[in-house]
Amino acid sequence: MALLLHRIGRFAYRRAWIVIVAWVIALGGLVGGGIALGGQLQESYAIPGTESQDAIDQLAAVFPQTAGASAKAVVEAPDGDSVENAPYRAAIEEMESELEDVDGVASVLGPFDEYAGDQVSDDARTAYIQVQFDGQTTEVTQDQLDAVLATGDLGRGAGLEVAFGGEVFQETTFGLTITEAFGVIFAGVVLLITFGSLLSAGMPLLTALVGVGTAFGGISVVAAFATVSSTAPMLAVMIGLAVGIDYALFILSRHRTQLARGMDPEESAAEAVATAGGAVVFAGLTVIIALLGLLVVGIPFLSVMGVAAAFAVLVAVFGATTLLPALLGLAKGRLAPKPGSRAHRRAVASDDSGKRTMGRRWVDTVLKAPVVFVLLVVGLLGAAAVPAASLDLNLPGGQGEEGTSQREAYDMIEEGFGPGYNGPLIVTVDITQTTDIFGDLDAIGARLAEVDGVAYVGDGLPNETVDTAIIQVIPESAPTDPETKQVVQDIRALEDDIVDEFGTPIAVTGYTAVSIDISQRLNDALVPFALIVVGLSVILLLVVFRSLFVPIKAALGFLLSAFGAIGLTVAVFQWGWLADLMHIEPGPILSFLPILLMAVLFGLAMDYEVFLVSGMREEFVKTKEPRSSIVHGFQHAARVVTAAALIMFFVFFAFVPEGTGVIKGIAFALAVGVAFDAFLVRMTLVPAAMALAGRGAWWLPKWLGRILPDVDIEGEGLRHHLAESEWAAARNADVLAEDLLVGDPAAPLGPISVSVPRGGALVVLGEPAERRLVAATLAGRVVPAGGRLAVLDAPLPIDAGTVMRRVAIADGAADAAAAGSAGELIAARADATRAWYRLDSTRSAVEAALRRVADARVAPGADVARRSRTIDPDTPIASLDPLDRLLVTVSAALAEHPRAIVVDFDGLSRSAAAWTALDRIVPPGVVLIATADPDADLDAARAALEPRGIRSIDLATRPMEALR
């Protein structure tokens, strides 16, 4: 991965304007597409598989007039008056009539209708009109809502106070406000302090904003074809902005440090993307995997949120690894810290020289008494997590924000009737097996009225086909109160007795029941999801750090910070601590907040863990000194991790003071979680725990080390590759070997040393098995057993894939067995490497290859008989003589357009005509590697290939060094 990122970084640096234009096109295309398609954000809290949702689906089929969205028109008479007085009653009835005429309204039930329930308060001052729509909340248009609201003028004209509430008026859309801009401003200030350069500080902000815009545009396009809640893009913006700034910060910080130490700007950009960018990719993948893990919970709207946020993180990763190095390519060396500046002194200072940084002073303090700091952090986060034990989850209760008509209606209902009237329950009854419908419904209603916490039970109402009935149940408690959850559970517990007695299955539904079911599903999924996330973190960090202690410690630290953040969120948002200061109305915690917090915080925690501990591991591998490794890794990463955490905190917390209710809680939990994890866990608990573990922190069982992949997060493999590439380039040779060993490492063939000039030729003499083994190694098909080897400037085995694409093998025996005719063989080789976008046939490639064969066959020294025979596409390969078969095979391999070709001269190595024909058929500039028998006519080979620059190796000699 490091090598791929290095190439991406170098390409973006060299082709800066191409990359920037591509990003501008992507940004404009997605944003413009979203606007053009007119995608609308909608709320849908459907949750398949729950009793409440199944009941809603059943009502939609058999009782459609009750399955749609609902609203209430609440009216209140002046103090001392009654809604039953003539002028008020007439106005209410006129409102009913107007509401019935509104397009999309299925039914209207007024307080004075024959089948009205308890719709007039005990003091007769408050009443409400129940409005039922045809479709669900997401299907009700703004024009329909405006028409409903317009009827309120009739009541107000009569002197009534009128307000409209219900699920269709619940404000569930969220937009950016000016307060969120302060988060970006704070992030800019932190970046300016960190880098000491306005140009450097602006780059992470620019890449993050472009990434967020691109992600938002993509979500808008999807919203045109699928239901996307307004919470999803807001969450994506919040997370995408935070991680986008942080990821660019990590790479840019590494780049500036390398520039200060004298590295070439282009090489520095590529290496920063390869090393710091590798950690960014790893961290981004952990966030994406955790967010996509929300799909397993099985709640559609939460799955959409997870996918949207994961997409924003993916775009942020691409932005940091492509757009940022392109910007670095425009800036070139101007980003280097000025000599003598603080940034320059920090970059070039050694661990033990000069003035100690704040990070160095902090880690020295922690290491003086690591046990104390471990106990202190565990105690603080444990205390913060205590309120999490009383976690109460629910969806927004429908009360609305202060000052809205929705809130006014909610308060009027609660004051006039009681809090439960704002969250009525609907009990569906299957009456297909009863003969006394109304008698049984009355009896069932009486049983429901006996449930503790029930304030009112309406009359049973059958549908037109008399197979399903509904009974309205009003709890005494508010929709979001825990007592209401208990009422729902108690009613469901009655089903077995009711079925036994009346033969009528029942189910509980309605917006309140749906909210309760969603919260219960999420509550049940919290612990399994936490275990999945923790298990994932252990596996990922085990692979990255090749240590048992590091991942276990990291996972436990993540749990501490996550539950500490949940606990503090409960204290503020549920218990009401500092509620007035932050403009918070205490109530239940948003049902999907804990799972969402764990998903996002997990990735961020692993991000900080990688940047801190990777430096410690790199130093430990060099010195084997655990304490100095901790100091080294911490002091070099502390500043950038601190800046990243502060940026995260400010960006998240900016959504809290004036944000909308749903986003406010999520933002607060994320901000607190980042602060806990970065400053208490990663920067305090981690060095203290590592110091206590000593060398044991890096212990890994040998058997486990053999099966774990090496992801090279520190870029050690990349540095080795760059050194090998530099060695190869400095020798100016197409084939370069030094003390090369091939074959079985226990009994290798070699050592071999050779240097073949550009476009030259190499002849390898030896027995068939040995020379074929050497040829396969030079072609990248076999891993060298030792020594150094580079082919076409690509070091092996690191660049084996590149060498395999550039080197073709002409094996006459294998090719003859695979294809029947010359045309089939050439076409097969041409198709194997033809670009996917090439739609032309292979006929031209076959014709060109056969022309090469014809030209080579008329070489000086070729016999007249051979010249007289023609080879066409239908000529069977088996019918050709050995030389013609060799030429067809070589020409077929050349159809792959290789830069080097390996040819085995089995049986032809003593023929001067064969060497001459081979020289004619292989184009100049293509490296020729020929293997031949020990008794080959080397003089004939030299005579034919000398213009290319020929080297030869005899595998029977020691040492195996190239001869001219």
Side-chain angles (χ1 to χ4, degrees), residues 331-488:
K332 300 193 183 302
R334 292 196 298 274
L335 293 175
K338 294 181 180 180
S341 65
R342 292 178 58 192
H344 186 272
R345 291 197 303 271
R346 284 194 302 267
V348 300
S350 62
D351 291 352
D352 300 310
S353 65
K355 184 179 179 181
R356 294 194 308 167
T357 63
M358 184 178 295
R360 176 61 185 270
R361 291 196 296 270
W362 175 249
V363 73
D364 286 344
T365 302
V366 171
L367 295 186
K368 287 179 181 178
V371 175
V372 173
F373 282 94
V374 168
L375 294 177
L376 183 62
V377 171
V378 172
L380 286 174
L381 292 180
V386 169
S390 60
L391 179 66
D392 179 24
L393 300 178
N394 215 319
L395 287 176
Q399 66 268 34
E401 297 290 325
E402 290 281 357
T404 63
S405 178
Q406 166 80 1
R407 181 55 176 270
E408 188 179 351
Y410 188 95
D411 292 340
M412 289 166 63
I413 289 287
E414 182 172 352
E415 184 178 346
F417 295 89
Y421 281 77
N422 280 307
L425 305 173
I426 302 297
V427 177
T428 65
V429 186
D430 183 348
I431 55 176
T432 55
Q433 303 302 315
T434 180
T435 56
D436 183 11
I437 294 175
F438 288 100
D440 287 350
L441 288 177
D442 289 342
I444 293 171
R447 295 286 296 275
L448 296 175
E450 295 173 359
V451 174
D452 289 341
V454 171
Y456 170 80
V457 177
D459 295 331
L461 178 64
N463 64 347
E464 294 178 356
T465 56
V466 197
D467 55 26
T468 303
I470 59 171
I471 301 174
Q472 187 181 60
V473 177
I474 308 294
E476 295 176 352
S477 50
T480 58
D481 282 351
E483 291 82 357
T484 305
K485 296 180 183 180
Q486 189 60 48
V487 170
V488 172

